[in-house]
Amino acid sequence: MKPIKVAMLGCGTVGTEVARLLTDQADDFAARIGTPVELTGIAVRRPNKHREVPAELLTTDADSLVESDVDVVVEVIGGIEPVRSLLLKALRAGKSVVTANKALLAEHGPELYAAADASGADIYFEAAVAGAIPLLRPLRESLAGDRITRVMGIVNGTTNYILSAMSATGAGYAETLEEASRLGYAEADPTADVDGFDAASKAAILASLAFHTRVTAGDVHREGISAVTSADIAAARALGRTVKLLAICERVTDDEGVESVAARVHPAMIPNSHPLASVGGAFNAVFVEADAAGQLMFYGQGAGGAPTASAVLGDLVAVARNIVAGGRGPRESAYAELPVRPMGQASTRYHISLDVADRPGVLSQVAAVFAEHDVSIAVVRQEGRPVDASLVVVTHAASDAALRGTVDKIAGLPVVREVVSVMRVEGEES
Amino acid sequence: MKPIKVAMLGCGTVGTEVARLLTDQADDFAARIGTPVELTGIAVRRPNKHREVPAELLTTDADSLVESDVDVVVEVIGGIEPVRSLLLKALRAGKSVVTANKALLAEHGPELYAAADASGADIYFEAAVAGAIPLLRPLRESLAGDRITRVMGIVNGTTNYILSAMSATGAGYAETLEEASRLGYAEADPTADVDGFDAASKAAILASLAFHTRVTAGDVHREGISAVTSADIAAARALGRTVKLLAICERVTDDEGVESVAARVHPAMIPNSHPLASVGGAFNAVFVEADAAGQLMFYGQGAGGAPTASAVLGDLVAVARNIVAGGRGPRESAYAELPVRPMGQASTRYHISLDVADRPGVLSQVAAVFAEHDVSIAVVRQEGRPVDASLVVVTHAASDAALRGTVDKIAGLPVVREVVSVMRVEGEES
């Protein structure tokens, strides 16, 4: 059997690990696939910057590498162009693709899947979400006989590190971000992480697979962590809760039995007893709920060179086995075509923390505003202090719109000195 | 495209759910596979006992059903014969098999894999280990590009229920087992669960997949929970630990660089802070450690009709997709052929709890016995009481043989009134 020829696009921390492991464990790969894997070239921008891989593999001409006699293209560059064009070229030529590129898949997935379908090539992308954690294959294969209702998880390590650090030190957001950048936990330009773009891309991919429906990054309601204050963190702690940036994908059935899907990324308070509360630093964890399987959890390292390389190489073995056996991996499955519900219709629980005047009648005034907006109160906690008082309200599930109306009006009440914290609550029964 | 015809062998709680979901979600299955799935027959022993499935599907003639014009055989009977013969017949005829039968796979897996290989049929068995949790597919596909070093988990719900109940009530083993049987959490004959046979079968399957080596149930060192006492549970609690029945599969490299694998099932104390400590009742959870991926955890329902059916149906979709696309699933991978290390050579940490006379020199006498057997002590805790005293020792990693020698000699010391508890310790650094 002739070897499987592989071209790699990019050679950063992930690519370097992929190249190293392909060499170090070449015998294992050959045995597991049934034929050797041969890395024939690596496209990079500056070949002299990559001394850890054999110089003769390096090229600056990605187009020619993709067009060369290779069976599989592994992409670890990231970003939209030129990657999109390169991968479309590969797929159209019947070359299978393994990619870790969440942004590309969340924006242009359907175009890539269609190209793969037309030529019979495979496209695998386990590394695009939650790094080393086997998550996409379980969603699209193991649970293919089940009906997934919800996916909720921590899928961005940088924001998880920042929120964990804010909680540990009591420091504010800006200060903690600066420290994270200094320590290498945040990129020089942290926008993609802290504003939730990265998590939103992952949510789009997860929702698409879970619900057999095309969901793009633009469909995902997105709030980052830059508005999270140390007061939010302190308020959460006072209630036995922790603030996490969550990606949540849900299947919803309305009163008339019409199904839709929704995907959102936002910070939320979860109880300290919830398994996601203790997921620290760069780790990721994702809960999946399905009708027959019930609740499942997947946990592991969400980023980093070696963990991401593990996912890339698992996919590489899969597409190589498919080439050897003459089969194909599962295609895009978007048959359900469920409508995507806008965030205004989403219903979540809220925590609101207020500084109020410490005098009789405050609670009844505040409660009246909630009632007026049809937002039902689940828990109230009031604590008097020498001059003013703290009033904490946790609501039952309410729409975003109703909650915003409530908070706006409460902020204007003369008895309310300050709206200290408003944050969604997840991970407990409503 | 013509429909995929499926025969089912058995129709207990899992089979009933499989039949129901195949009917209720027929449109989803057709869309996900690309062609409808048709359940053409169900082999049972007593057709009049299965009113929840269409009577015209039922037959007592399993052989004829397997020989009929079907593409896939789903097996949910359990046990070795007649299942082994039926599945071999199916595979030899090129019919793909989906099975939940851990005992059969742990004993006769290689024979079944060889039959599948020869005819080009698929054999999938996600439901055989950890019920609904996608675990085998991640091991044999997602991590196929990585080097797995360790798998450790709770894979038997009955024993986990009993140990959790003993811990909650302080009751003894026999009493708790009786209660579990009464409540339906333990079988009328609980031997397979409480003596660790079920977990050992699962450990064999996990070790085989993780290490690309044939490991059978007979290779697995097996200790059940019937010797766990309320004193063990109390001793664990006093140290901030919990007793769990663990299945552990390890890749070991000896001083000369020779690799081997080991698989064992036994009760062990783990710290209350360990994620496995809070896995209660019928839930299963499995840790996987791999060189590149690092530590991963999988959590979910380990048994029950619907969760197991979810795993069976995920496999059914996979083999049906392979039939439609003309490919095959991953074959048995046993190329590594690593030797299986006997338990006598295994090295684990131990907790020993003693009732001793409360007088000077006891500790030095006990410590001398440990030293004599070359067992290094990590932690000692001594507590005086009015008449006697309690002495707790946690060792560094020691061989089973050395530990047994130590305990035997300690039990004979005049200053030792009773060896209260001896139990392995897992889940912390040695």
Side-chain angles (χ1 to χ4, degrees):
Chain A
M1 182 88 214
K2 55 184 195 140
I4 302 287
K5 294 186 178 172
V6 177
M8 187 158 72
L9 309 180
C11 198
T13 51
V14 176
T16 305
E17 276 298 305
V18 168
R20 185 181 69 77
L21 291 164
L22 276 178
T23 307
D24 286 2
Q25 300 179 11
D27 292 349
D28 285 314
F29 282 101
R32 294 175 190 181
I33 293 164
T35 190
V37 171
E38 189 190 321
L39 185 58
T40 61
I42 305 175
V44 295
R45 260 195 287 183
R46 285 179 291 272
N48 57 350
K49 283 190 64 188
H50 298 275
R51 305 199 183 282
E52 61 293 332
V53 293
E56 66 272 20
L57 291 181
L58 296 169
T59 171
T60 54
D61 186 354
D63 277 284
S64 297
L65 181 59
V66 168
E67 285 159 15
S68 71
D69 173 32
V70 297
D71 305 293
V72 183
V73 173
V74 170
E75 184 266 312
V76 287
I77 301 177
I80 306 296
E81 287 293 354
V83 176
R84 175 179 153 272
S85 305
L86 289 165
L87 297 190
L88 283 172
K89 182 183 287 184
L91 291 168
R92 285 176 185 147
K95 293 163 186 178
S96 290
V97 162
V98 174
T99 173
N101 193 326
K102 57 228 151 205
L104 178 65
L105 291 161
E107 291 288 347
H108 300 282
E111 186 182 17
L112 294 162
Y113 308 143
D117 236 11
S119 73
D122 272 332
I123 176 162
Y124 276 62
F125 45 89
E126 182 70 67
V129 182
I133 310 174
L135 178 62
L136 305 191
R137 186 175 271 103
L139 287 181
R140 84 174 176 167
E141 302 185 39
S142 308
L143 291 164
D146 207 332
R147 187 172 169 281
I148 297 171
T149 52
R150 189 177 163 92
V151 179
M152 173 168 96
I154 295 170
V155 296
N156 180 274
T158 301
T159 49
N160 200 44
Y161 173 86
I162 292 172
L163 291 173
S164 301
M166 284 175 71
S167 181
T169 64
Y173 167 74
E175 188 186 337
T176 309
L177 171 60
E178 202 171 37
E179 177 76 359
S181 302
R182 209 179 52 76
L183 296 171
Y185 290 108
E187 305 275 346
D189 176 0
T191 312
D193 292 316
V194 300
D195 287 347
F197 290 101
D198 175 82
S201 291
K202 291 166 175 170
I205 295 170
L206 292 172
S208 299
L209 294 178
F211 305 133
H212 301 270
T213 289
R214 285 183 176 171
V215 180
T216 65
D219 294 324
V220 181
H221 173 84
R222 180 184 52 74
E223 295 167 34
I225 63 163
S226 57
V228 176
T229 63
S230 46
D232 291 328
I233 307 262
R237 180 183 294 124
L239 289 166
R241 296 192 171 92
T242 306
V243 177
K244 293 288 187 187
L245 183 71
L246 300 180
I248 301 175
C249 312
E250 291 170 307
R251 179 196 292 267
V252 196
T253 308
D254 70 13
D255 297 342
E256 282 147 31
V258 179
E259 281 199 324
S260 61
V261 300
R264 51 194 162 100
V265 168
H266 56 70
M269 291 184 183
I270 56 174
N272 288 340
S273 59
H274 193 283
L276 290 180
S278 55
V279 173
F283 277 82
N284 283 189
V286 178
F287 271 83
V288 178
E289 285 172 33
D291 276 353
Q295 197 171 65
L296 304 167
M297 188 179 79
F298 303 82
Y299 171 89
Q301 292 186 66
T308 309
S310 172
V312 167
L313 289 167
D315 280 354
L316 177 57
V317 170
V319 304
R321 280 174 174 167
N322 288 344
I323 292 168
V324 170
R328 296 156 72 190
R331 309 285 92 190
E332 182 200 19
S333 174
Y335 73 90
E337 293 179 357
L338 296 172
V340 179
R341 192 186 55 178
M343 188 60 186
Q345 294 169 25
S347 191
T348 62
R349 302 185 69 198
Y350 276 89
H351 159 278
I352 300 112
S353 178
L354 308 170
D355 261 3
V356 295
D358 190 9
R359 61 169 186 255
V362 170
L363 179 58
S364 83
Q365 284 186 51
V366 169
V369 179
F370 279 93
E372 190 183 309
H373 290 83
D374 217 17
V375 177
S376 171
I377 293 177
V379 180
V380 173
R381 211 183 63 171
Q382 185 163 20
E383 267 176 28
R385 290 190 298 230
V387 181
D388 52 7
S390 136
L391 180 64
V392 171
V393 175
V394 179
T395 73
H396 284 298
S399 78
D400 220 47
L403 196 281
R404 285 185 195 284
T406 309
V407 170
D408 285 351
K409 180 128 185 208
I410 283 173
L413 290 177
V415 296
V416 172
R417 292 168 199 269
E418 191 191 355
V419 177
V420 177
S421 168
V422 177
M423 189 165 282
R424 292 196 179 80
V425 174
E426 295 285 343
E428 42 193 273
E429 296 307 311
S430 54
Chain B
M1 185 86 214
K2 54 184 196 142
I4 302 287
K5 293 185 179 174
V6 177
M8 187 159 71
L9 308 180
C11 196
T13 50
V14 177
T16 304
E17 277 298 306
V18 168
R20 184 181 70 77
L21 290 165
L22 276 178
T23 306
D24 287 2
Q25 299 179 10
D27 291 349
D28 285 316
F29 282 101
R32 293 174 192 182
I33 293 165
T35 190
V37 172
E38 189 188 322
L39 184 58
T40 62
I42 306 175
V44 295
R45 262 196 286 183
R46 284 180 291 274
N48 57 351
K49 283 189 64 186
H50 298 276
R51 304 200 184 281
E52 60 294 331
V53 293
E56 67 272 19
L57 291 181
L58 297 169
T59 172
T60 55
D61 186 354
D63 276 285
S64 298
L65 181 60
V66 167
E67 287 159 14
S68 70
D69 173 32
V70 297
D71 305 291
V72 182
V73 174
V74 170
E75 185 266 311
V76 288
I77 300 177
I80 306 298
E81 286 295 352
V83 176
R84 175 179 152 273
S85 306
L86 288 165
L87 296 190
L88 283 172
K89 182 184 287 184
L91 291 168
R92 284 175 187 147
K95 293 162 186 178
S96 291
V97 162
V98 174
T99 173
N101 195 324
K102 57 227 149 206
L104 178 65
L105 291 162
E107 291 288 347
H108 301 281
E111 187 182 15
L112 294 163
Y113 308 143
D117 237 9
S119 72
D122 272 332
I123 177 164
Y124 275 64
F125 45 89
E126 181 70 70
V129 181
I133 309 173
L135 177 62
L136 305 191
R137 186 175 271 104
L139 286 180
R140 85 173 175 168
E141 302 185 40
S142 308
L143 291 163
D146 207 333
R147 186 171 171 279
I148 297 171
T149 52
R150 188 176 163 92
V151 180
M152 174 168 95
I154 295 170
V155 296
N156 180 274
T158 301
T159 49
N160 199 44
Y161 174 85
I162 292 172
L163 292 172
S164 300
M166 285 175 72
S167 181
T169 65
Y173 167 74
E175 187 186 337
T176 308
L177 171 59
E178 202 172 34
E179 177 75 359
S181 303
R182 207 178 55 75
L183 295 172
Y185 290 108
E187 305 273 344
D189 177 0
T191 314
D193 292 316
V194 299
D195 287 349
F197 290 101
D198 174 82
S201 292
K202 292 166 175 171
I205 294 170
L206 292 173
S208 299
L209 294 178
F211 306 132
H212 301 270
T213 289
R214 284 183 176 172
V215 179
T216 66
D219 294 324
V220 181
H221 172 83
R222 181 184 51 74
E223 296 167 34
I225 63 163
S226 57
V228 176
T229 63
S230 47
D232 291 328
I233 306 264
R237 180 180 296 124
L239 288 165
R241 296 192 172 92
T242 306
V243 177
K244 294 287 185 188
L245 182 72
L246 300 179
I248 301 174
C249 310
E250 292 169 307
R251 181 196 290 267
V252 195
T253 307
D254 71 12
D255 298 342
E256 282 147 31
V258 178
E259 281 200 325
S260 60
V261 300
R264 51 195 163 98
V265 168
H266 56 68
M269 290 183 185
I270 55 174
N272 289 339
S273 59
H274 193 282
L276 290 179
S278 55
V279 174
F283 277 82
N284 282 190
V286 177
F287 272 82
V288 177
E289 285 172 31
D291 277 353
Q295 197 171 65
L296 303 168
M297 188 178 80
F298 303 80
Y299 171 89
Q301 292 187 67
T308 310
S310 172
V312 167
L313 289 168
D315 280 355
L316 178 57
V317 169
V319 304
R321 280 174 175 168
N322 288 344
I323 292 168
V324 170
R328 296 157 72 189
R331 311 285 90 191
E332 182 199 19
S333 174
Y335 73 91
E337 292 179 358
L338 297 171
V340 179
R341 190 188 57 177
M343 188 62 186
Q345 294 170 27
S347 192
T348 61
R349 304 184 67 198
Y350 277 89
H351 158 277
I352 299 111
S353 177
L354 307 170
D355 260 2
V356 296
D358 189 10
R359 59 171 189 254
V362 171
L363 179 57
S364 83
Q365 284 187 52
V366 170
V369 180
F370 278 93
E372 191 183 306
H373 289 83
D374 218 15
V375 176
S376 172
I377 292 176
V379 180
V380 173
R381 211 184 62 169
Q382 186 163 19
E383 267 176 29
R385 289 190 298 231
V387 181
D388 52 8
S390 137
L391 182 64
V392 171
V393 176
V394 179
T395 73
H396 283 299
S399 78
D400 221 46
L403 196 279
R404 284 183 197 285
T406 309
V407 171
D408 284 351
K409 182 130 185 207
I410 284 174
L413 291 177
V415 295
V416 172
R417 292 169 199 269
E418 192 191 354
V419 177
V420 178
S421 167
V422 178
M423 188 164 285
R424 292 194 178 80
V425 175
E426 293 286 344
E428 43 195 276
E429 295 306 310
S430 55

